[in-house]
Amino acid sequence: MVHKLPSVDVVLVGFGWTGAIMAQELTEEGLEVLALERGSWRDTGTDFAPSFIQDELRYRYHGHLFEETAQETLTFRNTPDQTALPMRRLGSFLPGTGVGGSILHWNGQAWRFLPYDFQIRSQTVARYGNAAVSQDMMLQDWGITYDELEPYYMRWEELCGIAGQAGNVNGQKQPGGNPFEGPRSKPYPTPPMKQTYGPTLFGQAAASLGLHPFPCPSGNMSQAYTNPLGVTLAPCTYCGFCEKFGCGNYSKASAQTTILPVLMRKKNFTVRTESEVTRVNVDAFGKHATGVTYVDAQGNEFEQPADLVIVCAYATHNVHLLMSSGIGKIYDPSTGQGTLGKNYCYQLTPSVDLFFDDKLLNPFVGAGALGVIVDDWNGDNFDHTSLGFIHGGYIAGYMTTGRPIETELLPEGTPKWGAKWKKAFVENYLKSMSVSLMGAVMPDKSNHLDLDPTYRDVYGRPLMRMTYDFKQNELKMQDFAMGKMVEIAHAMKPREIKKSARGPRYDIEPYQSTHNTGGAIMGASPADSVINRYLQHWDVPNLFVVGASAFPHNSGYNPTGTVSALALWAADAIRRQYLKHPGPLVHA
Amino acid sequence: MKPKKVSRREFLAASATAAAAAGAGAIGTTPAFSRDVHGGDKDPWLPHQADAPHPLQAPDYKFFTPEEAAFIEAATERLIPDDAVGPGAKACGVALFIDHQLAGAYGRAQGWYMQGPWSKGEETQGYQSRLTPSALYRAAIKAIEDHVASSHSATPFAGLAPDEQDAIISDLEKGKLDLGGVDAKTFFKMLWLNTKEGMFSDPIYGGNKDMAGWKMLGFPGARYNYLDWVDRHGQRYDQPPVGIRGRPEWNGEG
Ligand SMILES: Cc1cc2nc3c(=O)[nH]c(=O)nc-3n(C[C@H](O)[C@H](O)[C@H](O)COP(=O)(O)OP(=O)(O)OC[C@H]3O[C@@H](n4cnc5c(N)ncnc54)[C@H](O)[C@@H]3O)c2cc1C
Ligand code: SF4
């Protein structure tokens, strides 16, 4: 039996990072906001206190803060001719569950995308001609420009106290910053983090090659910071248990450290935990969302009516929920029909490992976003004529951790186990680091999400099926970037280096990044997108879908800056336009 | 769209406060196993609710039979042998660590998607065994011992010479051994990861005895604050490691 509950103004599906942003913004309008979160309440003192959070086994390997595949997973195959099999254990990506979502255990690498990204198709064609975009590459403009989004990027950086060195303020180049970044209206709210030895060597080597190194913009605090909501974060202690861990020091920007202390005082806000939404309900015409159905920890089913439904359940879950709810037409690569599930993209992350004889790098002195970057080979920052690929990625000299189970850099030819393995590991542990690429991924016709014909979840719903592989554009880009990384690596003068390329096939097991994008993309037309430029569903105007699922392609940066700016932009559109005139904000 | 006049919050207030304390709430008149945290209420925590870890209680085997324990002790010691570089798996308590892992949530594959149908799949499709880790160990050890019995006189794996043991492990790694229903490569991968976990995880779980794994590498453990070291480029870190429980001498043990 389904229990029907009294209606609310706004129901949020998921109370992670974008859920917190949307709740904070919409409660400001006096709306009654209810967030439904499948996981439990989480807070610093109780869930990631420094008296136990630095536990590599429990958090990294047993995934104590991650979602469980028993609750939600997907099936995976590389190509449509294979049979997809369930992801039985998390591997390649590690979404979170519970209040705060994935950002609770993120690194804090806090990026904006380039102006090029938002107009990627038109700018690529204008510079290189139609032939630069292959038949299978479903490249499209985003329906929004960097300049429109800039104020929202600024707001997210101020909300989170991002530490960095500006490279371009209102068109004025700034020394020491990223000369390729889009113009910013203001510098970063806090100065960049101080660098340890490894990133410093990387920066020196890059500069000696004529490149433009700068410190990674960071959500790990370089100093104490009080955000515009009045919430204070503390300086990061370089604890080295950052990525995949919650921060015990209130030093990493997250829902808990930036928004919740204010939001949780508002009487018009409620979060209901242990409540997993199983579908978004629409009326008989499919044009109006009536609310959602959710299931509590005992399996009791509830119907929660709402005037406005906002899905912010993380990129892949957003897409799965729309599919399970029968909202929109699922994309079919063989016919090109349908928009839901297309343009699924990921990231390509090859690296070069460096081994020094004489330099102690102390990798355990690290932080999630500690590193020096060069952006010379990202986006369209360089001439791609006759390279055979578009876009690129940033190259980083990060020093995020020395956790010993995970941090295993070994010279070429080292056996995988036994006495020689042990000797090599011990000799190189303190004296090695990686140079890595955050590589962009372009949408491809056959990379997509749909529903699996065989495997079901605990509720009997089909699992989502992911069909994904690295394509020519990425593999050529990887070869090119590998050459650049090797050059920088050599300039750092190590004893030896080792190249670690990805692919050629994408493997779902080793961790790469939790940067899944696309599937419910934004755009200028319902013919090739699921949501409009305000993240509003084209068919169901009182439904908004927030998250990286909106990205038509994935750029050569981490996604959360852009996810956050888009969330703030959508919230603003709801506050200023939608509430006055509920209905489509863009007419198709 | 205008904000609602009648607040749902008021409607539900009475039942939900009690609900938060009890863990299971009531929504309207419906009993619900979810929890409401209302804005303006106190934090939804009771004292002593920190999500602390569960350390190993007693240092004896809970899962392995004596024969299985002998196998694991011998095999992990080949993976990480005791030598001039530092202690091996045996001295660090790796087999005990693995035993307790298999006796617990990990051994049961708790939280993993374990529904069929089952198929081996491609290399890129990840773990596809129907067996939980504990079942996988049990089946693999038996199959390896059967193989040893049929091809190497009558001694169990633990009684073989080190290079014979290495050859078997190497065959597992390459997937050359036929272990019946168990995929040799899958077992090797799991054993090797669990061995490293036992060497380098926090000592509360029974491995990394005396933090010997960390000392060998120069990893300072659970310290959590290196602000003083950010600028000290290239200097050797001079403090001994600490675990989640601190150092033995802090607890009157050392
Ligand atoms: C290890 C790691 C490192 C990362 N590092 C970086 C980085 O350095 N830089 C960067 O830019 N990004 C990084 N990210 C990505 C970043 O965490 C995400 O982009 C961000 O959290 C996305 O916010 P979201 O609101 O879309 O999803 P989330 O924050 O994951 O929130 C989604 C919430 O919805 C809940 N939910 C899901 N389904 C349901 C349902 N059916 N019913 C109810 N609730 C549901 C989930 O439990 C979760 O709480 C990292 C991620 C991980 C995991
Ligand atoms: S590295 Fe800094 S921000 Fe990250 S968890 Fe540690 S103290 Fe927090």
Side-chain angles (χ1 to χ4, degrees):
Chain A
M1 195 193 121
V2 184
H3 309 288
K4 192 161 178 172
L5 300 169
S7 182
V8 293
D9 294 329
V10 183
V11 70
L12 303 176
V13 180
F15 192 52
W17 176 234
T18 55
I21 290 179
M22 297 310 282
Q24 169 59 23
E25 291 294 306
L26 298 181
T27 47
E28 288 295 294
E29 292 299 318
L31 298 172
E32 190 75 41
V33 177
L34 170 68
L36 295 173
E37 166 55 47
R38 65 181 175 181
S40 59
W41 177 258
R42 280 196 169 132
D43 221 337
T44 306
T46 41
D47 293 272
F48 17 101
S51 49
F52 57 77
I53 184 66
Q54 57 281 56
D55 182 339
E56 189 178 15
L57 180 72
R58 191 183 195 208
Y59 295 95
R60 167 64 185 98
Y61 287 94
H62 292 174
H64 195 58
L65 297 173
F66 308 156
E67 69 180 3
E68 294 185 337
T69 55
Q71 185 171 27
E72 168 107 36
T73 191
L74 42 75
T75 65
F76 163 73
R77 59 184 180 174
N78 287 115
T79 48
D81 57 306
Q82 293 174 343
T83 304
L85 295 178
M87 178 172 76
R88 299 185 181 279
R89 302 185 65 185
L90 290 183
S92 171
F93 39 91
L94 303 168
T97 194
V99 167
S102 311
I103 203 171
L104 202 137
H105 59 267
W106 75 321
N107 291 60
Q109 301 164 2
W111 294 92
R112 299 177 174 205
F113 284 6
L114 293 165
Y116 168 71
D117 283 308
F118 301 96
Q119 291 165 300
I120 189 165
R121 185 173 189 104
S122 33
Q123 291 197 11
T124 303
V125 169
R127 186 165 177 188
Y128 306 106
N130 275 316
V133 183
S134 78
Q135 274 289 311
D136 291 345
M137 195 189 281
M138 314 225 322
L139 206 61
Q140 52 193 79
D141 291 355
W142 288 39
I144 188 175
T145 63
Y146 173 84
D147 290 343
E148 287 176 303
L149 212 49
E150 200 288 330
Y152 302 92
Y153 272 128
M154 205 60 241
R155 279 183 59 199
W156 113 273
E157 286 165 359
E158 289 180 337
L159 180 66
C160 293
I162 302 305
Q165 169 61 54
N168 178 343
V169 179
N170 294 316
Q172 297 287 317
K173 295 275 147 118
Q174 310 287 316
N178 179 6
F180 302 101
E181 72 176 345
R184 333 163 38 84
S185 50
K186 287 187 230 170
Y188 286 98
T190 53
M193 296 180 83
K194 273 202 274 177
Q195 300 298 327
T196 52
Y197 199 17
T200 303
L201 292 171
F202 173 89
Q204 288 164 352
S208 77
L209 296 171
L211 303 173
H212 302 83
F214 60 94
C216 179
S218 166
N220 318 137
M221 297 302 106
S222 61
Q223 60 182 41
Y225 175 73
T226 303
N227 76 10
L229 299 180
V231 183
T232 300
L233 293 94
C236 163
T237 61
Y238 296 69
C239 80
F241 288 83
C242 200
E243 175 193 44
K244 308 176 182 103
F245 298 77
C247 176
N249 282 340
Y250 303 85
S251 307
K252 177 158 72 171
S254 67
Q256 276 79 354
T257 55
T258 63
I259 295 176
L260 299 197
V262 170
L263 177 64
M264 294 314 297
R265 283 192 212 147
K266 294 181 174 176
K267 295 205 184 283
N268 53 340
F269 177 69
T270 301
V271 50
R272 185 167 300 150
T273 59
E274 284 88 21
S275 300
E276 182 170 18
V277 175
T278 50
R279 65 185 289 131
V280 175
N281 302 314
V282 286
D283 67 6
F285 307 101
K287 295 285 175 210
H288 183 80
T290 55
V292 302
T293 298
Y294 73 90
V295 180
D296 74 7
Q298 276 290 337
N300 301 310
E301 230 181 27
F302 297 86
E303 193 184 322
Q304 176 61 63
D307 292 341
L308 193 58
V309 176
I310 299 179
V311 176
C312 39
Y314 185 73
T316 48
H317 308 329
N318 290 350
V319 180
H320 189 205
L321 193 62
L322 292 179
M323 289 179 176
S324 305
S325 308
I327 300 174
K329 187 160 185 238
I330 296 178
Y331 168 72
D332 179 348
S334 62
T335 62
Q337 298 287 304
T339 53
L340 182 59
K342 83 185 188 84
N343 289 42
Y344 172 74
C345 295
Y346 191 52
Q347 209 114 49
L348 182 73
T349 53
S351 55
V352 175
D353 303 331
L354 291 77
F355 304 91
F356 293 92
D357 268 337
D358 53 340
K359 295 189 170 66
L360 281 169
L361 302 182
N362 295 336
F364 46 83
V365 185
L370 180 70
V372 170
I373 311 292
V374 293
D375 216 20
D376 298 62
W377 315 110
N378 210 345
D380 203 27
N381 298 345
F382 59 107
D383 187 1
H384 291 69
T385 308
S386 71
L387 291 178
F389 68 90
I390 62 166
H391 220 299
Y394 71 69
I395 295 175
Y398 279 130
M399 205 49 133
T400 64
T401 184
R403 295 186 303 269
I405 308 171
E406 189 169 3
T407 313
E408 186 190 288
L409 302 180
L410 299 168
E412 198 74 60
T414 308
K416 258 217 197 124
W417 52 273
K420 288 190 181 134
W421 169 86
K422 183 180 171 195
K423 184 161 184 282
F425 186 26
V426 170
E427 280 177 1
N428 290 291
Y429 170 74
L430 294 172
K431 301 179 200 161
S432 50
M433 69 177 284
S434 295
V435 165
S436 57
L437 178 80
M438 189 62 71
V441 169
M442 297 304 106
D444 183 272
K445 200 170 166 244
S446 66
N447 284 342
H448 71 287
L449 306 169
D450 61 1
L451 289 176
D452 192 89
T454 308
Y455 292 95
R456 313 229 146 210
D457 70 9
V458 283
Y459 306 112
R461 300 179 305 172
L463 296 185
M464 188 162 72
R465 175 171 66 180
M466 173 187 289
T467 305
Y468 180 75
D469 213 352
F470 297 130
K471 301 293 176 183
Q472 278 310 307
N473 194 75
E474 284 74 65
L475 296 174
K476 284 189 190 156
M477 188 261 284
Q478 168 165 267
D479 286 347
F480 174 87
M482 188 59 88
K484 302 296 175 194
M485 292 197 289
V486 166
E487 239 176 274
I488 300 172
H490 282 312
M492 292 169 72
K493 303 201 173 63
R495 175 188 76 233
E496 61 180 295
I497 65 168
K498 184 171 112 189
K499 295 191 258 182
S500 302
R502 295 283 183 192
R505 301 237 101 162
Y506 167 65
D507 184 343
I508 193 108
E509 194 167 75
Y511 184 70
Q512 290 153 70
S513 80
T514 311
H515 302 168
N516 315 82
T517 66
I521 68 172
M522 62 193 293
S525 154
D528 61 11
S529 57
V530 172
I531 51 179
N532 67 27
R533 67 201 300 259
Y534 300 109
L535 314 188
Q536 180 183 40
H537 199 279
W538 283 113
D539 302 337
V540 187
N542 69 332
L543 171 64
F544 288 73
V545 187
V546 182
S549 44
F551 295 6
H553 72 274
N554 202 3
S555 182
Y557 303 98
N558 314 55
T560 308
T562 303
V563 166
S564 311
L566 286 173
L568 288 163
W569 151 269
D572 217 38
I574 294 172
R575 293 178 69 175
R576 288 182 201 218
Q577 303 175 51
Y578 181 86
L579 293 178
K580 288 181 194 127
H581 306 286
L585 297 172
V586 179
H587 288 279
Chain B
M1 186 177 150
K2 288 208 180 65
K4 294 238 165 345
K5 295 220 175 61
V6 183
S7 154
R8 205 193 93 272
R9 179 178 150 67
E10 283 157 29
F11 184 87
L12 299 173
S15 54
T17 318
I27 294 166
T29 53
T30 312
F33 290 83
S34 58
R35 176 191 267 192
D36 277 12
V37 186
H38 296 293
D41 287 354
K42 283 206 297 202
D43 269 6
W45 289 115
L46 301 171
H48 311 298
Q49 276 197 335
D51 186 24
H54 302 290
L56 173 130
Q57 295 302 329
D60 33 53
Y61 285 111
K62 297 207 290 190
F63 174 75
F64 291 135
T65 63
E67 294 74 26
E68 289 169 339
F71 173 91
I72 291 294
E73 282 178 16
T76 55
E77 184 65 14
R78 291 318 299 156
L79 291 171
I80 306 184
D82 183 68
D83 58 18
V85 174
K90 202 166 187 172
C92 287
V94 168
L96 181 70
F97 164 87
I98 295 178
D99 176 88
H100 282 243
Q101 293 301 312
L102 296 179
Y106 174 77
R108 293 191 296 274
Q110 191 169 301
W112 302 9
Y113 182 87
M114 291 298 267
Q115 297 182 47
W118 303 90
S119 138
K120 188 167 178 298
E122 308 286 328
E123 293 261 349
T124 56
Q125 288 178 302
Y127 191 81
Q128 293 298 338
S129 173
R130 183 175 189 170
L131 301 176
T132 62
S134 56
L136 187 84
Y137 268 81
R138 187 138 280 160
I141 295 170
K142 177 167 188 314
I144 296 166
E145 291 292 17
D146 287 350
H147 163 81
V148 171
S150 65
S151 56
H152 299 73
S153 65
T155 26
F157 178 88
L160 299 178
D163 54 342
E164 289 175 305
Q165 292 174 336
D166 284 357
I168 291 173
I169 294 175
S170 176
D171 284 349
L172 286 174
E173 182 188 6
K174 297 189 186 103
K176 279 199 206 154
L177 270 193
D178 180 6
L179 303 184
V182 182
D183 181 56
K185 274 190 187 177
T186 303
F187 176 63
F188 173 82
K189 256 195 200 170
M190 188 174 274
L191 176 66
W192 178 222
L193 176 61
N194 295 157
T195 301
K196 287 193 284 188
E197 289 171 352
M199 274 309 276
F200 302 116
S201 59
D202 195 278
I204 59 170
Y205 299 112
N208 190 13
K209 197 163 182 293
D210 301 326
M211 298 185 250
W214 291 350
K215 285 178 194 158
M216 179 166 79
L217 290 172
F219 176 64
R223 285 191 169 269
Y224 221 69
N225 187 345
Y226 297 110
L227 268 176
D228 290 349
W229 282 83
V230 177
D231 286 338
R232 292 160 82 165
H233 292 184
Q235 289 184 37
R236 189 168 289 277
Y237 188 77
D238 56 3
Q239 299 297 304
V242 295
I244 290 169
R245 273 207 197 126
R247 294 183 52 70
E249 54 270 32
W250 301 349
N251 304 317
E253 294 160 25

